[in-house]
Each structure stands twice: as C-alpha cells, then as structure tokens.
Amino acid sequence: MESANGYMSQTNPISCTIKPPVPIKIGDHKVEFLTGCHVIDVTFPNVFYVEIGEIHFKNFYTANLTIKVRTRTTEKEGTSTDSKWKTCLNNYQLMPDPHSDTAAEEYFVIGKQHVLFDLINVIAVRIIIRQPSPVWKEFRIEELKFYKASLFIPKEVKLPGWLNDITDNKIKTFDNGPNVEELSKEMQNLMATSQLAKSCSNNSTSIRRYDVDGCYDINLLSYT
Amino acid sequence: MSLSDENMKHIVNSLSEEVLTDKLNFEFLKAAENEASRLESGLADLKDYVISGLKQSGHEQKLANFVLRRLPHIKQLHHHLTPEEHKKEPITYIRKSQLAWEKRIWKSLNSMCTELSLPLARKRPDKDFKDMNRKWSELGSDEPNLSQIRPVYAPKDFLEVVSGVKNPNCNDFPLYNNWGLIQATLKVKSLHELRLQYSHMSINQAQSGVDDLTRTPTDIFQGERNKLAKKVIKSCMAGAVQEFLKKGSPTGCRNQIWNSILGIEIGDEEKLYYDQLKNSVLVHDLLVDNLIYKDIKLTATNDDQYFVFEDYLYQVLLPFFRDLVILETIKKSTATPAKSYIRGKLGNEEYAVFYPPNGVIPFHGFSMYVAPLCYCYDDPIMLYYVFRAFYARFFHHLHCVSSHQQGILSLSLLFERLLQQIEPQLFYHLCSIGVQPLKISFKWIIRAFSGYLCSEQVLLLWDRILAYDSLEILAVLAVAIFSFRKTNLLQIQSFQAAEAVMNDLTGLKVIPLLQLTLFSE
C-alpha cells in the first residue's frame, strides 16, 4: 500500500532487541554529572547478521547522534566476527539549534545516502545520542526501527498526456511520412485535452458546500 | 540551500499537483487550444509551436509567478508514519496548548448560545432574506439587536494563554528562564539575522514612507518611484514587483502591486464565487455574524479613520466566514476548526459540519484586519479577495498558538528578546515596577497594528510584510516604539502610566522608527 507522500507502509521492520539507553558518566560514578550522552545498544536475536537499508526513528530532544556497527567480516580463512565498532554515521545533526524546539520531535530516516559504508553483515548496532544543551530535562529517540530496503518510492504526478510527451522526439517521424498509429495517438491526446478543459470549466465554477442538503441549522458546538 | 533528491521531488510534485488543481491549469489548456488552432504548418511543429505560443502570450510568466507565490508555503516532506496531528504542529506541548485553548473558546461560545437561547446557525426567514438582499450595500444601517452579544475573547485573554505555554521538558534553570512572559523554547531570529533580512530597508536606501515625507522637494523621488512602479507592474513579474515593494509602494499603485504579488485577478469566476458566498449569507443566519456586527460597531465604526467603510466591512466579513477556501488553510495550520452536527442528528457523522463554515472564530478586533485595505480598494469583490489572500498568508498566524516562525508565540518571544537586547535598561526598569512590556505590545501585534497607527502608516507597514513575506516586522516595530518612548517610560512607576505613555501611536512614522531600531548601531 502506498501512502499519500510516496512511502510504502507494508514492509515489516527487522526484528531486534533495543536495550534501554545507558547514560555515560565521567569520573566518580556516584556523583550525578550529566554528560549529555547516552548509548543505546541494538542486537538482532533471531539471525546471525542483517543487512540494513534504512533506520527510522522519532526524535525527542536529541541534538545529534552517532551510529556504530559491528559486522561479520569474510576473511581468507573463513568467516569471523569483527570485534571493532565501526562508525557509519558521525555526529549527525537532528536539532539545528540544540537550545530550542526546532526539529526536537521530528521523524527521521537514515538511509544509504547518509552512512559512510553499506550496512551489510551487521551483527550489532550502537547508537550514541547526545544533547549538549542543559535546557532539557531528558532526551531520547523513539519508535526506532530498522528496514532492509528503502521504503521511499517517489510519487510521480500524472501530467496530462500532451505535457508528458513534450520532451519526446517521436513526433519527428512525421517528417518522413505520416504514421497512422502515431497520428491517432496524438489526436486522442488532443481530444482528451479538450475533454479535460471542458470538465475543468465545469468543476471550477461549482462551490463546495458547508451545509448538508441545504440545511445548516446548528444549536451548539460538539466537543469532548 | 542544497536540497536532497527526495525533497526536490516532493516540492516539484506538490507544485505540479497544485497547478493541476488551480484554475491556472484551465487557463493553460485554453491557451494551448487557441495556439493549436492557429497552427498553419504541419502537425510536426505542433508542440514547439504551442510552447513558444504559451511563452509569448505571457503564460510562462504566470506559471513562474504561481511557483514563486506557492514555493514558500509548500509543506515539508513527512516520514510515512507521521501522524496527521504532527504534520499540523510538530511540537507536542504547543499542540496541546492550542487544543486546550480551542476547547475554552468552544465552551464559551456554547455557553453564550445557552444563556441567550440563540442557535449557532439557522435558516433566515424569507422576509429577512429579501430585506437583507435589498440592503446588501448598506447593511450597517439596520443592525440586529446586539446588546447581549459579547466578543468570545479579546487579545488580553489570548495573551494569558500565550504566556502560559510552557515546555514540560524544560529545566527550571534560572539562566534559561526568560525575563519576559513567554516561556516557550522556540528559536527566533537574532538582531543580526533581522538586519540581513531587512537590508533593503537600511538608512542608505531611499524608501517610500521616509523620503517622500521630507521637506526637501520630493517630486524627484516620487516621480522615479512611480515610473519604476509602472514598469514592474507592466512586466507582470511577481518577483520583480516583490523586490520593488521592499522599499515601499507609492500610494497610487499599491492596489496593483499587492494584486500582482498575491496573484489576484477578478474574472467572471471570482465574481460568481463571491455571489455564491453572498447568497449563503442571505440563506443562513449565523451567530458569528452577530459577533462580527458587534466587532465592527465596537472598533471600525468608532474609529475616525474607518467608520466610512462600515458597509464595506460587512460585505467582506460576512461572506468570509462562509468561505471553504479558508477552512482548507485552517485545517493545514495548528488550529482545529470547531465541529458540530445538524440539529437532531447529533453523533451522526453524515451530518457533521464545521462551524463556522470557514473554521475561524473571530476575536475582538478581527474586523480591523480588513479596515485599512478599504483605503486601497473600492470594489468590494476585489477587497474581499485581497483580504482573503492576506488572511490565508499572514493574519491567521496571529491568533493561533503554534511553533510557526510567523506565529504569535514566536513573534511575542522575538519582541521580548529584541527589547532585552536593544533596551536592557528599559526592560529592567519596566520589569522591576511590574510592567511586562508584552502586556502593552501584544494587542498591537495581534492586530498587525491596525487601528493603532494612522492608516497610511499601517499600509506602509503591510507593504513590508508582503514584500519580505514575513510578520516578524511587527515585533521589530513594537520594539522600535518602546525605544522611541524610552525617556518617558523610564520615568513612570505604574502600569497605568505606562499604558498612558503608549496609548496614542497615531503620530508615529513607522519606517524611520524601524530603520532606527534595525540599523542605528
């Protein structure tokens, strides 16, 4: 199913386990000192490794984030796990001004164009979220989901036929002699255009109604 | 600004969709048909011929103007899971505040209906229908009984709501608490950013509103401006006209310049649409009409500058509250139109309607959005469309709690921040005697200064709103007025005294004041 803005909404996300965010502390762990930095670990329990095409989430007052992944590497001697965390997205800005509300609750999609390398053979993901501003009580990311492929399918607007064909050079074949099929197609377009023009002229003059069958008797507003 | 492919596609798609549903599309088809019928050579040249014909007949420019007008108002591309309410207003606490405020308004409207035993809407009896139709151009002479009607809310009530909007995720940290009333944590522009934005208004640039007022012979300046105005209007390029307007409009050309930027042309279709709205006024009697009657009587009719336009105001405002084009604008903004059901059909969704039909419940002073325009337009239908365009583009932001940069919340915060920065001593003095500056300036901003300044000055100010496509100038002017009356304000010790100092603004010249505030350092 395609939604209004061109996203496919029926693909299932990759199943994963998201651990609660762990605040990073400095020095004495007993002393409350907010570093404005949390770490979220994500693992994929049912599979050995996954391919990630897109990461979706809703922001809640996080200023920027870094994403690291651990991957399985295929070396000469066979398959082994790379214990190193590799950064695939560094300090990605979510809030243009950390001290104010702009984009604080926005929905984000991290796709292939954002990350440094393709996320294949991924074993674990680590997301480091930061909020340097002391203005906010808390910050986090919500509705975190991983998808194998991009969900975005650009939606094309249907232009009238005569506009669509503007860039075509097909019509030049007429120079070499009339082609009946082409000609009839063009005539059809022309007819469609004039039909459209007629329907336009009918629609544009009709007023949308606010009443129901001419009745607009109302006593009170309705709210709950 | 670089745009991602996705965003670019989204913008192109949104614009194409808008063009296809606009009457511009019909005009194009008509023109293309005309061009095609004039083709003399072979069919092979048809497309090139039609396209070059459309260019020559000025249709390409019309399309460019349309894109220019709509581009800043394209909604951003949203994630597929984004709920509808989030698209309307992305910040939760602001959305909640607006919803709570709307409920208060709805409740108050309902209780007025119950108290006065009046329905919100009813069919007008045939006799009244005929009477009203006959008196359409002099509706002011025969007013309904309004003694018990009271405005649903006044700017003062709304200020209480606006100053109560607080982010629950914000720490109560003294350093971050604003000294002023506004506690919302929104981003507003700095003085430096405003200077860059309004750089065409700087002191070294000749302006309408300054250079045509000096004692030195002004005919050279005025003559030049008039000549240039005619040239840009003739070019039909909305972008060029908007650039021209940044330095103000000569009085005689203002209507043409504004029409060009707002894309207003009155044809048969517009006249018919207005007639249909007028007919709706005659058929249905709304309680909101009484609120508007009362508002006009209390504001414009009482004003030396505007009482002559009383009848025009009815002809614009009564149809306005039945216009569904406005309802569409409201639905896309943070505001939610009030819902109701046809009598006897409560809860039946087939009989659910919006009230009033355009989704706007007027506040005390609403009619002042129209009044200054009466000086530029003498045709009520033209006046109607200009006002509607102004409202849909700017004024609806002024009475709705939203995180929009043009919203009243941002403008109020901008006013407080700028005043603190430019006049710290004055701000401190006023706060220390318990006079919050916003309590004085809020009513100016919510009415876009209409009714406070002399009408000519309001129009010069609205020139700049339209030219820079921004209401931020309202906050800057409010600061400028405080700066200008600083000496007096520093001597007062009470709110009443402060109000007295700021009571009469009719002698002020807005453009020099704005220049002083923005560019004096």
Side-chain angles (χ1 to χ4, degrees):
Chain A
M1 200 181 78
E2 199 183 326
S3 69
N5 55 9
Y7 276 102
M8 296 296 286
S9 55
Q10 239 178 18
T11 317
N12 288 331
I14 303 168
S15 85
C16 59
T17 310
I18 302 165
K19 289 191 185 152
V22 180
I24 302 294
K25 294 186 173 175
I26 295 178
D28 189 352
H29 279 217
K30 286 171 198 159
V31 182
E32 269 296 308
F33 177 79
L34 297 171
T35 55
C37 181
H38 293 186
V39 174
I40 302 163
D41 272 331
V42 182
T43 51
F44 303 93
N46 301 327
V47 283
F48 293 115
Y49 50 87
V50 291
E51 181 187 338
I52 298 170
E54 265 181 8
I55 304 173
H56 293 222
F57 60 89
K58 182 184 185 243
N59 187 22
F60 186 82
Y61 290 91
T62 302
N64 65 62
L65 56 73
T66 293
I67 301 178
K68 289 169 184 275
V69 291
R70 240 163 76 183
T71 53
R72 182 196 68 147
T73 52
T74 42
E75 288 168 19
K76 282 172 199 166
E77 63 269 26
T79 316
S80 73
T81 303
D82 193 344
S83 58
K84 271 189 199 157
W85 286 101
K86 282 193 288 185
T87 305
C88 66
L89 185 72
N90 198 16
N91 281 340
Y92 183 73
Q93 189 190 63
L94 304 180
M95 289 167 71
D97 174 33
H99 302 298
S100 69
D101 291 324
T102 318
E105 297 180 49
E106 211 45 66
Y107 287 80
F108 285 89
V109 176
I110 306 289
K112 286 202 165 116
Q113 67 275 30
H114 301 108
V115 292
L116 295 170
F117 49 86
D118 283 348
L119 302 181
I120 46 171
N121 298 335
V122 176
I123 298 164
V125 176
R126 174 168 281 178
I127 300 174
I128 299 151
I129 57 172
R130 297 190 198 86
Q131 179 47 273
S133 168
V135 176
W136 315 115
K137 282 182 186 158
E138 55 179 310
F139 64 97
R140 57 181 181 265
I141 55 174
E142 298 166 347
E143 299 174 36
L144 179 62
K145 285 188 181 90
F146 299 85
Y147 291 92
K148 195 175 171 191
S150 170
L151 300 190
F152 184 75
I153 294 161
K155 189 181 145 201
E156 300 296 338
V157 171
K158 282 182 196 144
L159 296 173
W162 63 279
L163 261 178
N164 263 339
D165 284 348
I166 282 173
T167 48
D168 287 358
N169 289 324
K170 281 184 208 161
I171 200 153
K172 292 220 167 121
T173 55
F174 285 155
D175 294 341
N176 308 327
N179 175 332
V180 179
E181 268 181 32
E182 291 281 76
L183 190 66
S184 78
K185 193 181 147 202
E186 292 308 311
M187 293 308 286
Q188 277 172 5
N189 274 346
L190 214 70
M191 218 175 84
T193 307
S194 61
Q195 286 294 329
L196 197 63
K198 276 180 201 157
S199 68
C200 267
S201 68
N202 289 340
N203 285 342
S204 50
T205 48
S206 71
I207 190 172
R208 279 168 294 166
R209 309 291 312 181
Y210 59 81
D211 48 15
V212 180
D213 304 331
C215 181
Y216 194 66
D217 289 354
I218 301 170
N219 279 349
L220 293 172
L221 293 176
S222 153
Y223 59 92
T224 43
Chain B
M1 193 176 76
S2 72
L3 279 168
S4 72
D5 282 358
E6 273 180 28
N7 271 328
M8 188 56 118
K9 262 185 198 148
H10 167 72
I11 289 171
V12 172
N13 282 349
S14 311
L15 281 172
S16 332
E17 267 175 20
E18 282 195 33
V19 172
L20 289 179
T21 51
D22 196 83
K23 72 166 190 169
L24 194 65
N25 183 37
F26 175 59
E27 263 179 49
F28 260 75
L29 289 170
K30 261 266 194 257
E33 223 172 31
N34 271 342
E35 293 295 333
S37 66
R38 282 192 290 163
L39 181 72
E40 284 164 3
S41 56
L43 261 181
D45 306 324
L46 178 66
K47 279 171 190 169
D48 294 340
Y49 185 81
V50 169
I51 291 167
S52 71
L54 286 177
K55 277 183 187 167
Q56 277 167 13
S57 59
H59 280 84
E60 195 188 27
Q61 190 53 51
K62 276 193 177 175
L63 185 64
N65 290 348
F66 180 87
V67 171
L68 182 83
R69 203 163 58 239
R70 295 304 312 152
L71 198 58
H73 306 281
I74 296 287
K75 286 258 173 182
Q76 68 174 102
L77 179 66
H78 285 284
H79 183 270
H80 72 294
L81 288 177
T82 314
E84 281 306 312
E85 51 172 22
H86 187 279
K87 284 182 195 163
K88 277 163 72 85
E89 171 55 61
I91 308 294
T92 311
Y93 72 90
I94 290 177
R95 191 165 63 231
K96 283 184 179 163
S97 304
Q98 169 65 15
L99 216 60
W101 166 235
E102 276 162 353
K103 277 197 180 153
R104 255 180 72 187
I105 298 177
W106 300 342
K107 218 171 152 181
S108 143
L109 199 57
N110 270 358
S111 56
M112 182 153 66
C113 284
T114 320
E115 267 173 46
L116 306 179
S117 309
L118 281 173
L120 282 173
R122 65 187 176 102
K123 197 166 188 294
R124 209 181 288 279
D126 281 348
K127 186 181 165 292
D128 293 3
F129 180 106
K130 282 176 194 153
D131 273 1
M132 200 171 184
N133 196 14
R134 200 159 30 85
K135 288 184 185 159
W136 181 251
S137 58
E138 44 189 90
L139 289 174
S141 59
D142 191 19
E143 64 180 274
N145 178 16
L146 301 169
S147 55
Q148 287 177 302
I149 301 285
R150 53 171 200 271
V152 181
Y153 70 98
K156 215 173 121 194
D157 308 310
F158 192 45
L159 174 62
E160 267 174 44
V161 175
V162 168
S163 55
V165 178
K166 193 170 188 296
N167 187 346
N169 192 36
C170 182
N171 277 313
D172 290 326
F173 197 46
L175 192 63
Y176 294 100
N177 280 1
N178 200 347
W179 290 349
L181 282 174
I182 303 296
Q183 301 168 69
T185 37
L186 292 170
K187 168 93 179 139
V188 292
K189 286 195 180 131
S190 67
L191 183 58
H192 178 67
E193 286 169 305
L194 289 169
R195 274 182 188 151
L196 294 177
Q197 181 172 323
Y198 292 107
S199 61
H200 283 87
M201 287 182 68
S202 77
I203 293 164
N204 56 10
Q205 312 252 352
Q207 307 276 336
S208 296
V210 185
D211 297 82
D212 42 4
L213 303 174
T214 48
R215 281 189 199 166
T216 50
T218 63
D219 41 344
I220 303 173
F221 171 75
Q222 279 186 325
E224 287 293 313
R225 282 299 278 177
N226 275 324
K227 240 199 248 165
L228 194 57
K230 286 195 178 112
K231 221 169 159 181
V232 288
I233 293 168
K234 209 176 157 200
S235 79
C236 295
M237 292 161 75
V241 179
Q242 198 167 349
E243 253 341 91
F244 173 83
L245 191 61
K246 287 185 175 175
K247 292 182 193 168
S249 162
T251 314
C253 316
R254 183 168 280 124
N255 49 6
Q256 283 168 289
I257 288 179
W258 284 12
N259 283 357
S260 167
I261 297 174
L262 296 167
I264 288 167
E265 283 172 37
I266 304 297
D268 290 342
E269 199 184 312
E270 281 75 15
K271 284 181 188 158
L272 187 65
Y273 186 78
Y274 178 83
D275 272 348
Q276 282 172 312
L277 290 175
K278 178 185 157 187
N279 193 52
S280 313
V281 176
L282 301 177
V283 172
H284 296 125
D285 179 16
L286 310 186
L287 180 73
V288 171
D289 296 345
N290 290 338
L291 291 172
I292 282 300
Y293 266 109
K294 182 87 177 187
D295 190 54
I296 292 172
K297 295 281 176 206
L298 287 176
T299 55
T301 314
N302 265 339
D303 194 309
D304 289 351
Q305 299 181 74
Y306 301 119
F307 73 95
V308 285
F309 301 123
E310 186 185 345
D311 292 327
Y312 272 28
L313 298 180
Y314 297 119
Q315 289 175 56
V316 169
L317 284 167
L318 298 182
F320 175 77
F321 282 90
R322 286 146 174 98
D323 195 335
L324 297 185
V325 172
I326 294 298
L327 181 71
E328 290 310 309
T329 310
I330 298 298
K331 277 182 180 170
K332 284 180 201 154
S333 76
T334 305
T336 317
K339 248 179 89 172
S340 184
Y341 295 91
I342 302 291
R343 190 189 301 153
K345 305 283 182 185
L346 187 71
N348 186 343
E349 285 306 315
E350 278 179 29
Y351 292 89
V353 288
F354 290 112
Y355 186 89
N358 77 343
V360 181
I361 295 173
F363 64 94
H364 177 52
F366 192 90
S367 45
M368 293 310 276
Y369 288 146
V370 191
L373 299 174
C374 298
Y375 276 101
C376 302
Y377 297 91
D378 54 4
D379 170 28
I381 299 182
M382 180 82 92
L383 180 63
Y384 176 78
Y385 282 100
V386 173
F387 165 66
R388 189 179 79 170
F390 250 95
Y391 184 83
R393 200 151 158 179
F394 302 110
F395 296 149
H396 78 273
H397 290 300
L398 292 174
H399 47 89
C400 162
V401 183
S402 80
S403 62
H404 197 282
Q405 206 168 33
Q406 314 268 320
I408 189 72
L409 205 52
S410 298
L411 295 181
S412 302
L413 186 61
L414 180 64
F415 164 76
E416 289 189 336
R417 292 263 169 91
L418 279 182
L419 190 60
Q420 282 172 39
Q421 187 183 349
I422 296 171
E423 301 292 353
Q425 188 195 2
L426 177 62
F427 198 97
Y428 180 77
H429 170 73
L430 290 175
C431 285
S432 63
I433 57 166
V435 178
Q436 277 290 347
L438 189 61
K439 284 198 174 167
I440 292 169
S441 64
F442 190 77
K443 56 182 184 292
W444 306 337
I445 298 175
I446 194 175
R447 267 162 61 166
F449 284 93
S450 174
Y452 294 103
L453 298 167
C454 99
S455 60
E456 194 194 345
Q457 296 298 312
V458 174
L459 294 173
L460 283 166
L461 179 68
W462 290 9
D463 272 351
R464 268 64 176 192
I465 291 179
L466 194 54
Y468 293 92
D469 201 6
S470 164
L471 289 166
E472 283 154 322
I473 200 88
L474 298 177
V476 181
L477 180 61
V479 172
I481 294 170
F482 271 82
S483 279
F484 189 62
R485 299 262 160 99
K486 182 181 167 182
T487 323
N488 295 13
L489 286 172
L490 282 174
Q491 288 165 1
I492 54 108
Q493 295 300 329
S494 72
F495 185 75
Q496 284 73 19
E499 271 202 316
V501 169
M502 298 304 227
N503 190 31
D504 182 16
L505 309 181
T506 47
L508 298 179
K509 300 272 178 277
V510 296
I511 306 303
L513 278 180
L514 287 166
Q515 287 183 320
L516 265 175
T517 303
L518 283 170
F519 303 106
S520 62
E521 275 173 35

